[in-house]
Amino acid sequence: MSGSQVEGVAAAVPATGVLSLAWLLVALPLVGAAVLLLAGRRADGWGHWFGVAASGSAFVVGAVLMVATLGAPAQERVADLHLFEWISAGAFTLDAGLRIDPLSLTFVMLVTFVGTLIHVYSVAYMEHDTSRRRFFAYLNLFVAAMLLLVLADSYVLLFVGWEGVGLASYLLIGFWNHDLPNAVAAKKAFVANRVGDVGLLVAIMILFAAFGATDFETVFGLASGANEGLLTAAGLMLLLAACGKSAQFPLQAWLGDAMAGPTPVSALIHAATMVTAGVYLVVRSAPVYEGAPNALLVVAIVGAITLIFGAVVGCAKDDIKKTLAASTMSQIGYMMLAAGLGPIGYAFAIFHLLTHGFFKAGMFLGAGSVMHGMHNEVDMRRYGALRRYMKITWITFGLGWLAILGVPPFSGFWSKDKIIESAFAADGGTGWQPWVFGTVALVGAGITAFYMSRLFFMTFHGSSRWPGHRVSETETVDEPVQDPHESPALMIWPMVVLAAGSVALGGVLAIGNAFEHWLEPVTGHVEHHDPVLPIPLIITLTLVLVIAGAFLAWRQYAASPVAVVPPRGSVLTRAARRDLYQDEVNEGLLMRPGQYLTRSLVYGDRQVVDGSVTGLARVVAGSGELARRWQTGYVRSYAATMVIGVVLLAAVVLAFRI
């Protein structure tokens, strides 16, 4: 399905009625964070429930706004809420305001609903942590920052939320910073995101220089008549920002290490919120990209590279959370690929983002449940047969697994298959793009089926491999027997709700192309072409590859014994275990040259700048030292000096007279 025409983008109207309550979406979790941080230890007994209430209240407000927007005509579903005059500098003024439209409300509902479920889950997961109150304060801060990011009506205010999300993620990833690896992981995520932030700042500067404004209404209104080179530069800088926040190539190295944070953090940040901010930025900036087709093509290429990159890495990871992190990287690659396809892909990128938020958050919480039952063990090679001991976790995780595989009628089928179909119609059915992007999307689906099935079977099926259980006919682990057990109700029920979304959400939103029509006031109405392959054939090929990938994983990790110690593997396997050497590449291309450059600058500063200053000081000091030696304080020395001077003077006079 390829777009040939885009129309129907709605203009913004002033927010009135219940829409004027949109500021509460940011205020409620922000107040929650402030209260929990300022109350100190006095809030330890009730702070976690206060944090849940703050997030839940934001969800209620979001639901009210959603109902009000659904009840309005399509052309009135984009509204701007003025808050206050924020920046005034000469002739330039910028008001702080919020944009309430189908795109922002989609994110509001995802962030607040899934975020509240994760808050509830965290009450039990963090029960024995002495800093649980502070953890909930950071969760509230993160939710507030993410809501500000998606509701902002200008790039500058979006940047405030963007930085707030970066700060909150740093605090949450490094929450257990008493362990050095956790602190290092938080720092790595922070630095990688700062690289992306430079891109966003430069993009804002370019847009301001071109249009004299940074608010969406002005920028998007003027973008259609702007210079293509300027829009291309802005689009590429926006993409750089998106790569940093959404862990896309080449700024993807931080995501796996970010699993050092508590598991609810992984579910919130790395499934439903922060890592999707880059996709939001690209789709929100659609008018900019529409005038920069080359930048849009780069977006699609980056997405295609990342979806394969993450899938290959996921095939070799034994850490359950890092496997899910690689999966997140790959799935967001799908979303970026869809966004890079232009108008035909914008709605499908957000559609998959929404369904992914449910099934991936559910699987992250399921991983936390497994870790809870396995005494914080994360190595899947030490699991096996857990379906017998954790039946609810097995079922809920399994539903998410079927959803991410794209098995009909689960949610992932309705969203990811639409991206694959759109990729096969990337340019109206001509040229190289549909074949390349479509093939990449197809191959990614097959690899996804393999590594996610590998995770599922290694964890819940096959033989028991935890300490004290036989792992093969000749090998046992002689350590104390662990006691796998199901998680408490506060952890189970959020998983059940998310599993229900994994089953039904995609199908419900796909009825009559409901989600596409919902986003039309923002993304516009698109007339579609047929892809280069018949749609039934694309669906069939996708399902064949999914079944093949799942079967290979079953044969290798469920029907056959799994070694507790991983085999050496092929060259590609060893590379995938080391994240395809992304850290080594970053070190060789960025860190080491940066160190050498810094050392060279320091050397020049010390030897040239400081050297000239200190050299002059030494000359003055040396001159003073020589002069000081003549000042002995002895009259005889002064008299002798005078005599010597008179003699020398007389000699000179006599010499000239002769």
Side-chain angles (χ1 to χ4, degrees), residues 636-654:
R636 289 174 297 175
S637 297
Y638 296 152
T641 302
M642 292 173 65
V643 170
I644 293 172
V646 170
V647 172
L648 289 176
L649 182 60
V652 170
V653 171
L654 290 174

Side-chain angles (χ1 to χ4, degrees), residues 95-117:
D95 295 338
L98 305 179
R99 171 156 288 199
I100 306 101
D101 63 14
L103 179 59
S104 62
L105 284 177
T106 298
F107 276 84
V108 165
M109 298 307 296
L110 176 65
V111 172
T112 56
F113 183 73
V114 175
T116 300
L117 291 176

Side-chain angles (χ1 to χ4, degrees), residues 285-479:
S285 304
V288 174
Y289 282 102
E290 287 305 298
N294 290 329
L296 203 60
L297 176 60
V298 176
V299 172
I301 292 173
V302 166
I305 292 173
T306 309
L307 78 86
I308 295 296
F309 189 105
V312 171
V313 169
C315 290
K317 292 293 184 182
D318 294 324
D319 185 313
I320 186 171
K321 289 176 65 177
K322 290 191 175 183
T323 302
L324 290 173
S327 170
T328 297
M329 184 193 308
S330 179
Q331 294 302 304
I332 294 178
Y334 269 108
M335 302 170 206
M336 294 295 285
L337 170 60
L341 299 178
I344 62 170
Y346 293 143
F348 299 139
I350 303 302
F351 190 14
H352 192 53
L353 184 153
L354 185 59
T355 60
H356 175 267
F358 276 78
F359 59 69
K360 183 55 67 62
M363 286 191 285
F364 265 118
L365 296 188
S369 179
V370 170
M371 292 168 58
H372 179 272
M374 292 295 290
H375 307 280
N376 290 321
E377 177 64 67
V378 296
D379 189 347
M380 295 184 295
R381 293 184 178 276
R382 312 281 282 189
Y383 293 163
L386 291 182
R387 71 186 187 282
R388 304 172 191 167
Y389 306 89
M390 310 178 69
K391 292 187 180 300
I392 299 178
T393 301
W394 170 55
I395 293 171
T396 55
F397 197 103
L399 294 175
W401 165 64
L402 292 172
I404 195 172
L405 261 60
V407 175
F410 296 91
S411 290
F413 167 76
W414 302 102
S415 57
K416 190 165 70 175
D417 274 41
K418 287 294 185 182
I419 294 177
I420 297 174
E421 293 171 18
S422 298
F424 272 110
D427 61 354
T430 61
W432 59 270
Q433 292 186 35
W435 293 105
V436 172
F437 290 142
T439 301
V440 168
L442 267 180
V443 171
I447 302 176
T448 298
F450 173 78
Y451 73 79
M452 288 305 301
S453 299
R454 174 180 180 269
L455 181 155
F456 185 70
F457 294 139
M458 286 181 72
T459 301
F460 296 103
H461 293 265
S463 60
S464 304
R465 299 183 298 277
W466 59 82
H469 281 65
R470 181 176 297 275
V471 297
S472 69
E473 292 298 323
T474 60
E475 182 183 5
T476 59
V477 182
D478 297 324
E479 298 178 19

Side-chain angles (χ1 to χ4, degrees), residues 14 60 77 80 92 108 168 173 186 202 204 223 354 541 549 616 622 640 656:
V60 172
R77 290 181 180 174
D80 283 342
F92 172 75
V108 165
I173 294 169
V202 173
I204 293 173
L354 185 59
L541 288 174
L616 179 61
F656 275 100

